[in-house]
Amino acid sequence: MEKMTREQTVTSLFYLTNKLKDEVKRTGWHQKGIKRNRVESVADHIFGCQMLAYAMYSEFNYDIDIDKVILMLAIHEIGETIIGDLTPEDISSKEKSEIERAAVIRLTEMIPNGEFIRDLFLEFEEKKTKEAQFAYQIDKAECDLQAKLYIQEGCFDHLYDRKEFTNSWIGFDIGRINFDENFMSVLNTIMNNDMEVKEHIDNPIQNVISFYTLTNRLKDIRREGERIWKVKKDNYGSIAEHTYSVQMLELFIYLIYNQDVDIKSIISQTSVHELGEILNGDISSLLKTNEDSNNEFAAAKSVIDILTRGNILLDKLSEFNNRKTKESIYSKYCDKLAPDIISKIYDSENRIDLDNQEGNPLLNNPIVKKYLDMKESFSTMWILFGQEVYKYPEPFITISNQVLNNDVTEPYTKVLIKEGYSVNKK
């Protein structure tokens, strides 16, 4: 593989992991004949894991580094960018683990400071630390809670008996995974009861279920900007997927530019920065008012208040919004830069038609209009807009200029497949 600049490396890795939003779907749901307009992606699953982790940590007082867990969950599926999402019906869990481990080790060998990701991934896989053991249970339990929500919504083929499906799906995991008593109590509860949203009560199990169920809505709430610009996609991206993509950009810039920031704090702030949209929906940043921002924070607080130790999350959200620490400033720039890179990807895939924008309210924005009048591409307009409005410092401006002037591609998949790090499903 040819040597790349730091800017190329960041954007290439971002493009690679972006596949977990659009290309790599959760295979198990399709194998079970799910009937739903939008089935979660791997990126959605990662977000769901992070929210369940917060809930379990809050309600059962685990003695762990929760920020490390959130970071670990952010990268725990990175191998699926190469091998795809495989289920026990494709290959055995042991085979999958071996193939995925090898792919991640090889991928991280090609990334500057990639041992950071490698070591965190292997810690998760080996399950020897408290954080890894907790994260592993979260990864499995999140799938069970999602299955319960899908069956409640009637998403599966009518041949499935609701109770029988729930018991067989969750019972399968209970029989093969060594869940601790807290996870068992949550899983046993949802086996026999529907998942409902209630205000905080003196019942940790119900608080976990309520918080997870409510935050799960961000897997379905769409990115408003994609709707406004009429992006040509079967389904618009979710808020949960956006959260994941920002976290990946934060991580890669941190590694490749050796940034002097607390990356665990940054990833955790980003994980909760859109919680207000659960109740208020997504409002384009170009249309959002101060009142909208205040309402969004109040909505996020009402969601967080379900948890006994919700102040932990509220502090993260407040830090992100106040933009006074270097970590929160870093997070904000990544939050704005990620859509810029995605705009270039959309242009390369011909997903936006600037001649078909009737009724688009953003066309009234004077800065948008100024750059559209240049008769350049959508991504050129969007990136120049971001540079003018957000005034990116280094290294964000250099990355932005790289995207402005060059296509976004990634060589990693081709190299890894050529070297044999791919899977033929049985």
Side-chain angles (χ1 to χ4, degrees):
M1 189 171 73
E2 294 183 6
K3 183 175 177 60
M4 295 188 289
T5 66
R6 290 188 294 181
E7 297 77 45
Q8 289 173 319
T9 303
V10 167
T11 57
S12 293
L13 288 168
F14 180 84
Y15 191 11
L16 175 70
T17 53
N18 205 60
K19 293 178 181 180
L20 296 189
K21 293 167 50 182
D22 295 326
E23 295 182 25
V24 184
K25 302 300 182 184
R26 296 284 280 169
T27 307
W29 305 129
H30 295 286
Q31 290 177 338
K32 294 297 183 183
I34 193 169
K35 296 182 177 181
R36 200 169 192 270
N37 182 49
R38 186 185 188 282
V39 181
E40 70 166 351
S41 64
V42 175
D44 287 320
H45 161 67
I46 289 169
F47 174 80
C49 284
Q50 291 176 336
M51 294 304 103
L52 181 59
Y54 281 133
M56 293 295 293
Y57 174 76
S58 166
E59 300 309 299
F60 294 106
N61 294 299
Y62 283 90
D63 179 23
I64 56 175
D65 180 349
I66 187 59
D67 288 341
K68 181 179 180 181
V69 168
I70 298 303
L71 176 58
M72 187 180 289
L73 290 169
I75 62 94
H76 84 285
E77 302 283 26
I78 194 169
E80 295 193 358
T81 61
I82 305 301
I83 70 170
D85 184 42
L86 303 172
T87 72
E89 295 179 24
D90 300 316
I91 61 175
S92 71
S93 297
K94 183 176 184 294
E95 286 179 286
K96 181 194 173 184
S97 179
E98 290 173 351
I99 294 169
E100 191 170 12
R101 176 189 293 244
V104 170
I105 291 173
R106 181 66 186 104
L107 173 63
T108 54
E109 287 174 352
M110 295 186 278
I111 301 174
N113 297 313
E115 64 275 8
F116 180 88
I117 296 175
R118 178 202 65 202
D119 292 348
L120 201 60
F121 176 83
L122 292 178
E123 181 179 344
F124 173 84
E125 286 289 299
E126 292 166 2
K127 301 183 283 294
K128 293 180 180 178
T129 65
K130 292 185 296 184
E131 286 75 18
Q133 291 163 2
F134 179 81
Y136 176 76
Q137 292 179 88
I138 288 290
D139 179 42
K140 302 307 179 185
E142 198 276 337
C143 185
D144 292 330
L145 270 65
Q146 180 62 82
K148 180 68 177 190
L149 288 178
Y150 279 164
I151 199 70
Q152 282 180 211
E153 295 170 11
C155 296
F156 293 100
D157 190 287
H158 69 280
L159 295 177
Y160 285 119
D161 174 79
R162 180 167 169 170
K163 185 174 180 59
E164 180 183 350
F165 177 87
T166 302
N167 290 346
S168 63
W169 185 288
I170 300 173
F172 174 73
D173 275 350
I174 289 176
R176 70 189 180 101
I177 295 165
N178 188 26
F179 288 116
D180 70 30
E181 61 180 358
N182 297 324
F183 281 92
M184 285 293 293
S185 65
V186 171
L187 294 176
N188 281 323
T189 298
I190 66 169
M191 283 181 71
N192 300 305
N193 302 277
D194 279 351
M195 294 169 62
E196 300 178 352
V197 175
K198 299 180 180 179
E199 294 184 357
H200 173 81
I201 59 175
D202 189 23
N203 182 330
I205 298 173
Q206 180 57 51
N207 292 339
V208 168
I209 292 170
S210 294
F211 183 79
Y212 173 81
T213 302
L214 200 52
T215 55
N216 192 269
R217 294 178 186 175
L218 289 185
K219 295 181 182 181
D220 286 319
I221 297 176
R222 315 293 201 273
R223 292 280 285 166
E224 184 66 4
E226 294 189 358
R227 184 194 67 79
I228 290 174
W229 288 102
K230 302 180 177 67
V231 178
K232 299 173 186 176
K233 296 176 66 177
D234 291 337
N235 290 290
Y236 297 135
S238 70
I239 304 302
E241 289 174 329
H242 164 70
T243 299
Y244 165 77
S245 70
V246 176
Q247 290 177 334
M248 291 299 97
L249 184 60
E250 291 167 341
L251 177 60
F252 297 138
I253 294 176
Y254 167 76
L255 293 177
I256 292 156
Y257 284 88
N258 293 299
Q259 293 290 282
D260 181 24
V261 290
D262 182 348
I263 191 60
K264 291 191 299 183
S265 173
I266 287 168
I267 297 296
S268 291
Q269 285 181 45
T270 301
S271 69
V272 300
H273 84 288
E274 301 284 27
L275 291 188
E277 297 189 358
I278 294 168
L279 303 181
N280 290 359
D282 186 38
I283 302 174
S284 170
S285 59
L286 278 68
L287 301 174
K288 186 177 292 186
T289 65
N290 288 335
E291 183 179 1
D292 290 329
S293 296
N294 292 335
N295 290 339
E296 190 173 303
F297 182 81
K301 185 178 184 303
S302 70
V303 173
I304 292 170
D305 281 347
I306 291 173
L307 298 179
T308 302
R309 294 196 289 170
N311 62 296
I312 297 169
L313 277 67
L314 195 62
D315 288 346
K316 297 178 189 299
L317 179 60
S318 296
E319 182 179 352
F320 179 90
N321 286 339
N322 291 336
R323 284 176 273 180
K324 292 181 178 179
T325 65
K326 61 183 179 181
E327 283 73 23
S328 61
I329 293 169
Y330 181 103
S331 295
K332 275 288 185 179
Y333 283 130
C334 288
D335 186 39
K336 303 307 179 185
L337 184 57
D340 293 356
I341 305 174
I342 291 172
S343 75
K344 192 60 174 274
I345 296 172
Y346 284 169
D347 262 353
S348 69
E349 297 171 346
N350 297 311
R351 292 187 181 272
I352 297 178
D353 181 2
L354 289 178
D355 295 326
N356 180 30
Q357 295 298 325
E358 183 178 354
N360 184 338
L362 302 185
L363 300 181
N364 299 321
N365 183 287
I367 304 178
V368 169
K369 188 176 186 304
K370 175 176 69 173
Y371 291 121
L372 283 179
D373 286 346
M374 295 169 55
K375 303 301 180 182
E376 297 286 348
S377 65
F378 171 77
S379 59
T380 296
M381 176 279 296
W382 194 257
I383 294 166
L384 290 175
F385 175 94
Q387 291 183 358
E388 179 172 341
V389 172
Y390 304 119
K391 304 187 186 312
Y392 297 127
E394 292 291 353
F396 305 100
I397 186 62
T398 303
I399 297 169
S400 178
N401 282 327
Q402 165 69 25
V403 177
L404 177 65
N405 298 311
N406 301 275
D407 289 337
V408 178
T409 60
E410 65 89 5
Y412 301 103
T413 299
K414 184 179 293 185
V415 170
L416 288 165
I417 289 176
K418 184 178 181 180
E419 293 180 359
Y421 296 96
S422 60
V423 178
N424 293 316
K425 294 183 180 181
K426 291 180 179 178

